[in-house]
Amino acid sequence: MGRSNEGGKEFIMNTEVGNYLELMADSLVKKGKKLEEVLELTKAQETLLSKEEFDEENFDNLINKKSALIEEINKLDEGFELTYNRVREMIKENPESYKDKIEKLQNSIRTLVDKGVEIEACERRNQIKFDLKVSKGKDKIRSYNLNSNAVTKYYSNMNGSVDGTTYFVDKKK
């Protein structure tokens, strides 16, 4: 009789762990969707950075959307970690009972890692493009300032307000 009681307890524990593993799998699916959205937004940023005219407002909007998604991903990660910590010991005690589900989780995690690497590569490309845009913007500002100074000096010379000596020297001739 004690044996059937143990078997019932083991069944309940297996079911409970199985439910937690399903919850973890659902969390990974949600994370995958969020990562896909982040990738799409990152590609949209890449498109904006490739255009001649930089649309700062749209770019900032994409950054804000990505930030919100990253917060959601972090929450999913925290939930996944908490759930795993609840069942870790039970899984270690009887790994064969959960082998299939664990393999599915591991495959999902590999896929998510690959997606993260793809996002990271796209982000690096974007960073390079962004740095070039900023550099070009600084060059435009520097060029504008130089041209503005040159024009100011020109008008000052024409009005004789920079150095009156040349005006007088010319008059003496």
Coordinates of all heavy atoms in Angstrom, one line a residue, residues 82-170:
L82 N 13.2 31.3 -12.8 CA 12.5 31.0 -11.5 C 11.8 29.6 -11.6 O 11.9 28.8 -10.7 CB 11.4 32.0 -11.2 CG 12.0 33.4 -10.7 CD1 10.8 34.4 -10.6 CD2 12.6 33.2 -9.3
T83 N 11.2 29.4 -12.8 CA 10.5 28.1 -13.0 C 11.5 27.0 -13.0 O 11.3 25.9 -12.4 CB 9.7 28.1 -14.3 OG1 8.8 29.2 -14.3 CG2 8.9 26.8 -14.5
Y84 N 12.6 27.2 -13.7 CA 13.7 26.1 -13.7 C 14.2 25.8 -12.3 O 14.4 24.7 -12.0 CB 14.8 26.5 -14.7 CG 15.9 25.5 -14.7 CD1 15.8 24.3 -15.3 CD2 17.1 25.8 -14.0 CE1 16.8 23.3 -15.3 CE2 18.2 24.9 -14.0 CZ 18.0 23.7 -14.6 OH 19.0 22.7 -14.6
N85 N 14.4 26.9 -11.6 CA 14.9 26.7 -10.2 C 14.0 25.8 -9.3 O 14.4 25.1 -8.5 CB 15.2 28.0 -9.5 CG 16.5 28.7 -10.1 OD1 17.3 28.0 -10.7 ND2 16.5 30.0 -10.0
R86 N 12.7 25.9 -9.6 CA 11.7 25.1 -8.9 C 11.8 23.6 -9.2 O 11.5 22.8 -8.3 CB 10.3 25.6 -9.2 CG 9.9 26.8 -8.6 CD 8.4 27.1 -8.9 NE 8.0 28.3 -8.2 CZ 6.9 28.9 -8.3 NH1 6.0 28.4 -9.1 NH2 6.6 30.0 -7.6
V87 N 12.2 23.3 -10.4 CA 12.1 21.9 -10.8 C 13.5 21.3 -11.0 O 13.6 20.1 -11.3 CB 11.3 21.7 -12.1 CG1 9.8 22.1 -11.8 CG2 11.8 22.5 -13.3
R88 N 14.5 22.1 -10.9 CA 15.9 21.6 -11.2 C 16.2 20.3 -10.5 O 16.7 19.3 -11.1 CB 16.9 22.7 -10.9 CG 18.3 22.3 -11.1 CD 19.4 23.3 -10.8 NE 18.9 24.2 -9.8 CZ 19.3 25.5 -9.7 NH1 20.1 26.0 -10.6 NH2 18.9 26.2 -8.7
E89 N 16.0 20.3 -9.2 CA 16.4 19.1 -8.4 C 15.6 17.9 -8.8 O 16.1 16.8 -8.8 CB 16.2 19.4 -6.9 CG 17.2 20.4 -6.3 CD 18.7 20.0 -6.6 OE1 19.0 18.8 -6.4 OE2 19.5 20.9 -7.0
M90 N 14.3 18.1 -9.0 CA 13.4 17.0 -9.4 C 13.9 16.4 -10.8 O 13.8 15.2 -11.0 CB 12.0 17.4 -9.5 CG 11.4 17.6 -8.1 SD 9.6 18.1 -8.2 CE 9.8 19.9 -8.1
I91 N 14.3 17.3 -11.6 CA 14.8 16.8 -13.0 C 16.1 16.0 -12.8 O 16.3 15.0 -13.4 CB 15.0 18.0 -13.9 CG1 13.6 18.6 -14.3 CG2 15.7 17.6 -15.2 CD1 13.7 19.9 -15.1
K92 N 17.0 16.5 -11.9 CA 18.3 15.9 -11.7 C 18.1 14.5 -11.1 O 18.9 13.6 -11.4 CB 19.2 16.7 -10.8 CG 19.8 17.9 -11.5 CD 20.7 18.7 -10.6 CE 21.2 19.9 -11.3 NZ 22.1 20.7 -10.3
E93 N 17.1 14.3 -10.3 CA 16.8 13.1 -9.6 C 16.3 12.0 -10.6 O 16.6 10.8 -10.4 CB 15.7 13.2 -8.5 CG 16.3 14.0 -7.3 CD 15.1 14.3 -6.3 OE1 14.0 13.8 -6.5 OE2 15.4 15.0 -5.3
N94 N 15.6 12.5 -11.6 CA 15.0 11.5 -12.6 C 15.1 12.1 -14.0 O 14.0 12.4 -14.6 CB 13.6 11.2 -12.1 CG 13.0 10.0 -12.8 OD1 13.7 9.4 -13.6 ND2 11.7 9.7 -12.6
P95 N 16.3 12.3 -14.6 CA 16.4 12.9 -15.9 C 15.7 12.2 -17.0 O 15.3 12.8 -18.0 CB 17.9 13.1 -16.1 CG 18.5 12.1 -15.1 CD 17.5 11.9 -14.0
E96 N 15.7 10.8 -16.9 CA 15.1 10.0 -18.0 C 13.7 10.3 -18.2 O 13.1 10.2 -19.3 CB 15.4 8.5 -17.8 CG 16.8 8.1 -18.1 CD 17.2 8.4 -19.5 OE1 16.5 8.1 -20.4 OE2 18.3 8.9 -19.7
S97 N 13.0 10.6 -17.1 CA 11.5 10.9 -17.2 C 11.2 12.1 -18.0 O 10.1 12.3 -18.6 CB 10.9 11.1 -15.8 OG 11.1 9.9 -15.1
Y98 N 12.2 13.0 -18.1 CA 11.9 14.3 -18.8 C 12.8 14.6 -20.0 O 12.9 15.7 -20.5 CB 12.1 15.5 -17.8 CG 11.5 15.2 -16.4 CD1 12.2 14.9 -15.3 CD2 10.1 15.3 -16.3 CE1 11.6 14.6 -14.1 CE2 9.4 15.1 -15.1 CZ 10.2 14.7 -14.0 OH 9.6 14.5 -12.8
K99 N 13.4 13.5 -20.4 CA 14.5 13.6 -21.5 C 13.9 14.3 -22.7 O 14.6 15.2 -23.2 CB 15.0 12.2 -21.8 CG 16.1 12.2 -22.8 CD 16.6 10.8 -23.1 CE 17.6 10.9 -24.2 NZ 18.1 9.6 -24.6
D100 N 12.8 13.9 -23.2 CA 12.2 14.4 -24.5 C 11.9 15.9 -24.3 O 12.3 16.7 -25.2 CB 11.0 13.7 -24.9 CG 11.2 12.3 -25.3 OD1 12.4 12.0 -25.7 OD2 10.3 11.4 -25.3
K101 N 11.3 16.3 -23.2 CA 10.9 17.7 -23.0 C 12.2 18.5 -22.8 O 12.2 19.7 -23.3 CB 10.0 17.8 -21.8 CG 8.6 17.3 -22.0 CD 7.7 17.5 -20.9 CE 6.3 17.0 -21.3 NZ 5.3 17.3 -20.3
I102 N 13.2 18.0 -22.1 CA 14.4 18.8 -21.9 C 15.1 19.0 -23.3 O 15.6 20.0 -23.6 CB 15.3 18.1 -20.9 CG1 14.7 18.2 -19.5 CG2 16.7 18.7 -20.9 CD1 15.4 17.4 -18.5
E103 N 15.1 17.9 -24.1 CA 15.8 18.1 -25.4 C 15.1 19.1 -26.3 O 15.7 19.9 -27.0 CB 15.8 16.7 -26.2 CG 16.8 15.8 -25.6 CD 16.8 14.4 -26.3 OE1 15.9 14.2 -27.2 OE2 17.6 13.6 -25.9
K104 N 13.7 19.2 -26.2 CA 13.0 20.2 -26.9 C 13.3 21.6 -26.4 O 13.5 22.5 -27.2 CB 11.5 20.0 -26.8 CG 11.0 18.8 -27.6 CD 9.5 18.6 -27.5 CE 9.0 17.4 -28.2 NZ 7.6 17.2 -28.0
L105 N 13.4 21.7 -25.1 CA 13.8 23.0 -24.5 C 15.2 23.4 -25.0 O 15.5 24.6 -25.3 CB 13.8 22.9 -23.0 CG 12.4 22.9 -22.3 CD1 12.6 22.7 -20.8 CD2 11.7 24.2 -22.6
Q106 N 16.1 22.5 -25.0 CA 17.5 22.7 -25.4 C 17.6 23.2 -26.8 O 18.3 24.1 -27.2 CB 18.4 21.5 -25.2 CG 18.7 21.3 -23.7 CD 19.4 19.9 -23.5 OE1 19.3 19.0 -24.3 NE2 20.1 19.8 -22.3
N107 N 16.8 22.5 -27.7 CA 16.7 22.9 -29.1 C 16.1 24.3 -29.3 O 16.6 25.1 -30.1 CB 15.9 21.9 -29.9 CG 16.6 20.6 -30.1 OD1 17.9 20.5 -30.1 ND2 15.9 19.5 -30.3
S108 N 15.1 24.6 -28.5 CA 14.5 25.9 -28.5 C 15.5 27.0 -28.1 O 15.7 28.1 -28.7 CB 13.3 26.0 -27.6 OG 12.3 25.2 -28.1
I109 N 16.3 26.7 -27.0 CA 17.3 27.6 -26.5 C 18.4 27.8 -27.6 O 18.8 29.0 -27.8 CB 17.9 27.1 -25.2 CG1 16.8 27.2 -24.1 CG2 19.1 27.9 -24.8 CD1 17.2 26.6 -22.8
R110 N 18.8 26.8 -28.3 CA 19.8 27.0 -29.4 C 19.3 27.9 -30.4 O 20.0 28.7 -31.0 CB 20.2 25.6 -29.9 CG 21.1 24.8 -29.1 CD 21.6 23.5 -29.8 NE 22.0 22.6 -28.8 CZ 21.2 21.5 -28.4 NH1 20.1 21.3 -28.9 NH2 21.7 20.7 -27.5
T111 N 18.0 27.7 -30.8 CA 17.4 28.5 -31.8 C 17.4 30.0 -31.4 O 17.7 30.9 -32.2 CB 16.0 28.0 -32.1 OG1 16.0 26.7 -32.6 CG2 15.3 28.9 -33.2
L112 N 17.1 30.2 -30.1 CA 17.0 31.6 -29.6 C 18.4 32.2 -29.5 O 18.6 33.4 -29.8 CB 16.4 31.6 -28.2 CG 14.9 31.2 -28.2 CD1 14.4 31.1 -26.7 CD2 14.0 32.1 -29.0
V113 N 19.4 31.4 -29.2 CA 20.8 31.9 -29.2 C 21.2 32.3 -30.6 O 21.8 33.4 -30.8 CB 21.7 30.8 -28.6 CG1 23.2 31.2 -28.8 CG2 21.5 30.7 -27.1
D114 N 20.8 31.5 -31.6 CA 21.1 31.8 -33.0 C 20.4 33.2 -33.4 O 21.0 34.0 -34.0 CB 20.7 30.7 -33.9 CG 21.5 29.5 -33.8 OD1 22.6 29.5 -33.2 OD2 21.1 28.4 -34.3
K115 N 19.2 33.3 -33.0 CA 18.5 34.6 -33.3 C 19.2 35.7 -32.6 O 19.3 36.8 -33.2 CB 17.0 34.4 -32.8 CG 16.1 35.6 -33.1 CD 15.8 35.7 -34.6 CE 15.1 34.5 -35.1 NZ 14.9 34.5 -36.5
G116 N 19.6 35.5 -31.4 CA 20.3 36.6 -30.6 C 21.6 37.0 -31.3 O 22.0 38.2 -31.4
V117 N 22.3 36.0 -31.9 CA 23.6 36.3 -32.6 C 23.3 37.1 -33.9 O 24.0 38.0 -34.2 CB 24.3 34.9 -32.9 CG1 25.4 35.2 -33.9 CG2 24.8 34.3 -31.7
E118 N 22.2 36.7 -34.5 CA 21.8 37.4 -35.8 C 21.4 38.9 -35.4 O 21.8 39.8 -36.1 CB 20.5 36.7 -36.4 CG 20.1 37.3 -37.7 CD 18.9 36.6 -38.3 OE1 18.4 35.6 -37.7 OE2 18.5 37.0 -39.4
I119 N 20.7 39.1 -34.3 CA 20.4 40.5 -33.9 C 21.6 41.2 -33.6 O 21.8 42.4 -34.0 CB 19.4 40.4 -32.7 CG1 18.1 39.9 -33.1 CG2 19.3 41.8 -32.0 CD1 17.1 39.6 -32.0
E120 N 22.5 40.6 -32.8 CA 23.8 41.2 -32.5 C 24.6 41.7 -33.7 O 25.2 42.8 -33.7 CB 24.6 40.3 -31.6 CG 25.8 40.9 -30.9 CD 26.5 40.0 -29.9 OE1 25.8 39.1 -29.4 OE2 27.7 40.2 -29.7
A121 N 24.7 40.8 -34.7 CA 25.4 41.1 -35.9 C 24.8 42.3 -36.6 O 25.5 43.3 -37.1 CB 25.5 39.9 -36.9
C122 N 23.5 42.3 -36.7 CA 22.7 43.5 -37.3 C 23.0 44.7 -36.5 O 23.2 45.8 -37.1 CB 21.3 43.1 -37.4 SG 20.3 44.2 -38.4
E123 N 23.0 44.6 -35.2 CA 23.2 45.8 -34.3 C 24.6 46.3 -34.6 O 24.8 47.6 -34.6 CB 23.1 45.4 -32.8 CG 21.6 45.2 -32.4 CD 20.9 46.5 -32.2 OE1 21.4 47.6 -32.4 OE2 19.7 46.4 -32.0
R124 N 25.6 45.5 -34.7 CA 27.0 45.9 -35.0 C 27.0 46.7 -36.3 O 27.7 47.7 -36.4 CB 27.9 44.7 -35.0 CG 28.5 44.4 -33.7 CD 29.7 43.5 -33.7 NE 29.5 42.5 -32.8 CZ 29.3 41.2 -33.1 NH1 29.3 40.8 -34.3 NH2 29.1 40.3 -32.1
R125 N 26.4 46.2 -37.3 CA 26.3 46.9 -38.6 C 25.7 48.2 -38.5 O 26.1 49.2 -39.0 CB 25.6 46.0 -39.7 CG 26.3 44.8 -40.2 CD 25.7 44.2 -41.4 NE 24.3 43.9 -41.2 CZ 23.8 42.7 -40.7 NH1 24.7 41.7 -40.4 NH2 22.5 42.5 -40.6
N126 N 24.6 48.2 -37.7 CA 23.9 49.5 -37.5 C 24.8 50.5 -36.7 O 24.7 51.7 -37.0 CB 22.6 49.3 -36.7 CG 21.5 48.7 -37.5 OD1 21.6 48.5 -38.8 ND2 20.4 48.3 -36.9
Q127 N 25.5 50.0 -35.7 CA 26.4 50.9 -35.0 C 27.4 51.6 -35.9 O 27.7 52.8 -35.8 CB 27.1 50.1 -33.8 CG 27.9 51.0 -32.9 CD 27.1 52.0 -32.2 OE1 26.1 51.6 -31.5 NE2 27.5 53.3 -32.2
I128 N 28.0 50.8 -36.8 CA 28.9 51.3 -37.7 C 28.3 52.4 -38.6 O 28.8 53.5 -38.8 CB 29.6 50.2 -38.6 CG1 30.5 49.3 -37.7 CG2 30.4 50.8 -39.8 CD1 30.9 48.0 -38.3
K129 N 27.1 52.1 -39.1 CA 26.4 53.0 -40.0 C 26.0 54.3 -39.2 O 26.1 55.4 -39.7 CB 25.1 52.4 -40.6 CG 25.4 51.4 -41.7 CD 24.1 50.8 -42.2 CE 24.4 49.8 -43.3 NZ 23.2 49.2 -43.9
F130 N 25.6 54.1 -37.9 CA 25.2 55.2 -37.1 C 26.4 56.1 -36.8 O 26.3 57.3 -36.9 CB 24.6 54.7 -35.8 CG 24.1 55.8 -34.9 CD1 22.9 56.4 -35.1 CD2 24.9 56.2 -33.8 CE1 22.4 57.5 -34.3 CE2 24.4 57.3 -33.0 CZ 23.2 57.9 -33.3
D131 N 27.5 55.5 -36.5 CA 28.7 56.3 -36.3 C 29.1 57.1 -37.5 O 29.6 58.2 -37.4 CB 29.9 55.4 -35.9 CG 29.7 54.8 -34.5 OD1 28.8 55.3 -33.7 OD2 30.4 53.8 -34.1
L132 N 29.0 56.5 -38.7 CA 29.3 57.2 -39.9 C 28.3 58.4 -40.1 O 28.7 59.5 -40.5 CB 29.2 56.3 -41.1 CG 30.3 55.3 -41.3 CD1 30.0 54.3 -42.4 CD2 31.6 56.1 -41.6
K133 N 27.0 58.2 -39.8 CA 26.0 59.3 -39.9 C 26.4 60.4 -39.0 O 26.3 61.6 -39.4 CB 24.6 58.8 -39.6 CG 24.0 57.9 -40.6 CD 23.4 58.7 -41.7 CE 22.7 57.8 -42.7 NZ 22.3 58.5 -43.9
V134 N 26.7 60.0 -37.7 CA 27.1 61.1 -36.8 C 28.4 61.8 -37.2 O 28.4 63.0 -37.2 CB 27.3 60.4 -35.4 CG1 28.0 61.4 -34.4 CG2 26.0 59.9 -34.8
S135 N 29.3 61.1 -37.8 CA 30.5 61.7 -38.3 C 30.2 62.6 -39.4 O 30.8 63.8 -39.4 CB 31.5 60.6 -38.7 OG 32.7 61.2 -39.3
K136 N 29.4 62.2 -40.3 CA 29.0 63.1 -41.4 C 28.3 64.3 -40.9 O 28.5 65.4 -41.5 CB 28.1 62.3 -42.4 CG 28.9 61.3 -43.3 CD 28.0 60.7 -44.3 CE 28.7 59.6 -45.1 NZ 27.8 58.9 -46.0
G137 N 27.4 64.1 -39.9 CA 26.7 65.2 -39.4 C 27.6 66.2 -38.7 O 27.5 67.4 -38.9
K138 N 28.7 65.7 -38.0 CA 29.6 66.6 -37.4 C 30.4 67.3 -38.5 O 30.7 68.5 -38.4 CB 30.6 65.8 -36.6 CG 30.0 65.4 -35.3 CD 31.0 64.6 -34.4 CE 30.4 64.1 -33.1 NZ 31.4 63.3 -32.4
D139 N 30.8 66.6 -39.6 CA 31.5 67.3 -40.7 C 30.6 68.4 -41.4 O 31.1 69.4 -41.7 CB 31.8 66.2 -41.8 CG 32.9 65.3 -41.4 OD1 33.6 65.6 -40.4 OD2 33.1 64.3 -42.0
K140 N 29.3 68.1 -41.5 CA 28.4 69.1 -42.0 C 28.3 70.3 -41.1 O 28.4 71.5 -41.6 CB 27.0 68.6 -42.2 CG 26.8 67.7 -43.4 CD 25.4 67.2 -43.5 CE 25.2 66.2 -44.7 NZ 23.8 65.7 -44.8
I141 N 28.3 70.1 -39.8 CA 28.2 71.2 -38.9 C 29.5 72.0 -38.9 O 29.5 73.2 -39.0 CB 28.0 70.7 -37.4 CG1 26.5 70.2 -37.4 CG2 28.2 71.8 -36.4 CD1 26.2 69.4 -36.1
R142 N 30.7 71.3 -39.0 CA 32.0 71.9 -39.0 C 32.1 72.7 -40.3 O 32.5 73.9 -40.3 CB 33.1 70.9 -39.0 CG 34.5 71.4 -38.8 CD 35.5 70.4 -38.7 NE 35.3 69.5 -37.6 CZ 35.0 68.2 -37.7 NH1 34.9 67.6 -38.9 NH2 34.9 67.4 -36.6
S143 N 31.6 72.1 -41.4 CA 31.7 72.8 -42.7 C 30.8 74.1 -42.7 O 31.1 75.1 -43.2 CB 31.2 71.9 -43.8 OG 31.1 72.5 -45.1
Y144 N 29.6 73.9 -42.1 CA 28.7 75.0 -42.0 C 29.3 76.1 -41.2 O 29.2 77.3 -41.6 CB 27.3 74.6 -41.3 CG 26.4 75.7 -41.0 CD1 25.7 76.3 -42.0 CD2 26.3 76.2 -39.7 CE1 24.8 77.4 -41.7 CE2 25.5 77.3 -39.4 CZ 24.8 77.9 -40.4 OH 24.0 78.9 -40.1
N145 N 29.9 75.8 -40.1 CA 30.6 76.8 -39.2 C 31.7 77.5 -39.9 O 31.8 78.7 -39.8 CB 31.1 76.1 -37.9 CG 30.0 75.8 -36.9 OD1 28.9 76.4 -37.0 ND2 30.3 74.9 -36.0
L146 N 32.5 76.7 -40.7 CA 33.6 77.3 -41.4 C 33.0 78.3 -42.5 O 33.5 79.4 -42.7 CB 34.5 76.3 -42.1 CG 35.3 75.5 -41.1 CD1 36.0 74.3 -41.9 CD2 36.4 76.3 -40.4
N147 N 32.0 77.8 -43.2 CA 31.4 78.7 -44.3 C 30.7 79.9 -43.6 O 30.8 81.0 -44.2 CB 30.4 77.9 -45.1 CG 31.0 76.8 -46.0 OD1 32.2 76.9 -46.3 ND2 30.2 75.8 -46.3
S148 N 30.1 79.7 -42.5 CA 29.5 80.8 -41.8 C 30.5 81.8 -41.4 O 30.3 83.0 -41.6 CB 28.7 80.3 -40.6 OG 28.1 81.3 -39.9
N149 N 31.6 81.3 -40.9 CA 32.7 82.3 -40.4 C 33.3 83.0 -41.6 O 33.5 84.2 -41.6 CB 33.8 81.5 -39.7 CG 33.4 81.1 -38.3 OD1 32.4 81.6 -37.8 ND2 34.1 80.1 -37.8
A150 N 33.4 82.3 -42.7 CA 34.0 82.9 -43.9 C 33.0 84.0 -44.5 O 33.5 85.1 -44.8 CB 34.2 81.9 -45.0
V151 N 31.7 83.7 -44.5 CA 30.8 84.7 -44.9 C 30.7 85.9 -44.0 O 30.7 87.0 -44.4 CB 29.3 84.0 -45.0 CG1 28.3 85.0 -45.2 CG2 29.3 83.0 -46.2
T152 N 30.8 85.6 -42.7 CA 30.8 86.7 -41.7 C 32.0 87.6 -41.9 O 31.9 88.8 -41.9 CB 30.8 86.1 -40.3 OG1 29.6 85.3 -40.1 CG2 30.8 87.2 -39.2
K153 N 33.2 87.0 -42.1 CA 34.4 87.8 -42.4 C 34.3 88.6 -43.7 O 34.7 89.7 -43.7 CB 35.6 86.9 -42.4 CG 36.0 86.4 -41.1 CD 37.2 85.5 -41.1 CE 37.6 84.9 -39.8 NZ 38.8 84.0 -39.8
Y154 N 33.7 88.0 -44.7 CA 33.5 88.6 -46.0 C 32.7 89.9 -45.8 O 33.1 91.0 -46.2 CB 32.9 87.7 -47.0 CG 32.5 88.3 -48.3 CD1 33.5 88.7 -49.2 CD2 31.2 88.7 -48.5 CE1 33.2 89.3 -50.4 CE2 30.9 89.3 -49.7 CZ 31.9 89.6 -50.6 OH 31.5 90.3 -51.8
Y155 N 31.5 89.7 -45.1 CA 30.6 90.9 -44.9 C 31.3 91.9 -44.0 O 31.1 93.1 -44.2 CB 29.3 90.4 -44.4 CG 28.4 89.8 -45.5 CD1 28.0 88.5 -45.4 CD2 28.0 90.6 -46.6 CE1 27.2 88.0 -46.4 CE2 27.2 90.1 -47.6 CZ 26.8 88.7 -47.4 OH 26.0 88.2 -48.4
S156 N 32.0 91.4 -43.1 CA 32.7 92.4 -42.2 C 33.7 93.2 -43.0 O 33.9 94.4 -42.8 CB 33.4 91.6 -41.0 OG 32.5 91.0 -40.2
N157 N 34.5 92.5 -43.8 CA 35.5 93.2 -44.7 C 34.8 94.2 -45.6 O 35.3 95.3 -45.8 CB 36.3 92.2 -45.5 CG 37.4 91.5 -44.7 OD1 37.8 92.1 -43.7 ND2 37.8 90.4 -45.1
M158 N 33.7 93.8 -46.2 CA 33.0 94.7 -47.1 C 32.5 95.9 -46.4 O 32.4 97.0 -47.0 CB 31.8 93.9 -47.7 CG 32.2 92.8 -48.7 SD 33.3 93.4 -50.0 CE 32.1 94.4 -51.0
N159 N 32.1 95.8 -45.1 CA 31.6 96.9 -44.4 C 32.7 97.7 -43.7 O 32.5 98.7 -43.1 CB 30.6 96.4 -43.3 CG 29.3 95.9 -43.9 OD1 28.9 96.4 -44.9 ND2 28.7 95.0 -43.2
G160 N 33.9 97.1 -43.8 CA 35.1 97.8 -43.2 C 35.1 97.7 -41.7 O 35.8 98.5 -41.1
S161 N 34.4 96.8 -41.1 CA 34.4 96.7 -39.7 C 35.4 95.8 -39.1 O 35.6 95.8 -37.9 CB 33.0 96.2 -39.2 OG 32.7 95.0 -39.7
V162 N 36.1 95.0 -39.9 CA 37.1 94.1 -39.3 C 38.4 94.9 -39.0 O 38.9 94.9 -37.9 CB 37.4 92.9 -40.3 CG1 38.6 92.1 -39.8 CG2 36.2 92.0 -40.3
D163 N 38.9 95.5 -40.0 CA 40.2 96.2 -39.8 C 40.1 97.4 -40.7 O 40.2 97.3 -41.9 CB 41.3 95.3 -40.1 CG 42.7 96.0 -39.8 OD1 42.6 97.1 -39.3 OD2 43.7 95.3 -40.0
G164 N 39.9 98.6 -40.2 CA 39.8 99.8 -41.0 C 41.1 100.2 -41.7 O 41.0 101.1 -42.5
T165 N 42.2 99.6 -41.4 CA 43.5 100.0 -41.9 C 43.5 99.8 -43.4 O 44.0 100.6 -44.2 CB 44.6 99.3 -41.3 OG1 44.5 97.9 -41.4 CG2 44.8 99.7 -39.8
T166 N 43.0 98.7 -43.9 CA 43.1 98.4 -45.3 C 42.2 99.4 -46.1 O 42.6 99.9 -47.2 CB 42.6 97.0 -45.7 OG1 41.3 96.8 -45.1 CG2 43.5 96.0 -45.2
Y167 N 41.1 99.9 -45.5 CA 40.3 100.9 -46.2 C 41.1 102.2 -46.3 O 41.1 102.8 -47.4 CB 39.0 101.1 -45.4 CG 38.2 102.2 -45.9 CD1 37.4 102.0 -47.0 CD2 38.1 103.4 -45.2 CE1 36.6 103.0 -47.5 CE2 37.3 104.4 -45.7 CZ 36.6 104.2 -46.8 OH 35.8 105.2 -47.3
F168 N 41.8 102.6 -45.2 CA 42.5 103.8 -45.3 C 43.7 103.7 -46.1 O 44.1 104.6 -46.8 CB 42.9 104.2 -43.9 CG 41.7 104.7 -43.1 CD1 41.2 104.0 -42.0 CD2 41.0 105.8 -43.4 CE1 40.1 104.4 -41.3 CE2 39.9 106.2 -42.7 CZ 39.4 105.5 -41.7
V169 N 44.4 102.5 -46.1 CA 45.6 102.3 -47.0 C 45.2 102.5 -48.4 O 45.8 103.2 -49.2 CB 46.2 101.0 -46.7 CG1 47.3 100.7 -47.8 CG2 46.8 100.9 -45.3
D170 N 44.0 101.9 -48.8 CA 43.5 102.0 -50.2 C 43.2 103.4 -50.5 O 43.4 103.9 -51.6 CB 42.3 101.1 -50.4 CG 42.7 99.6 -50.4 OD1 43.9 99.3 -50.5 OD2 41.8 98.8 -50.2

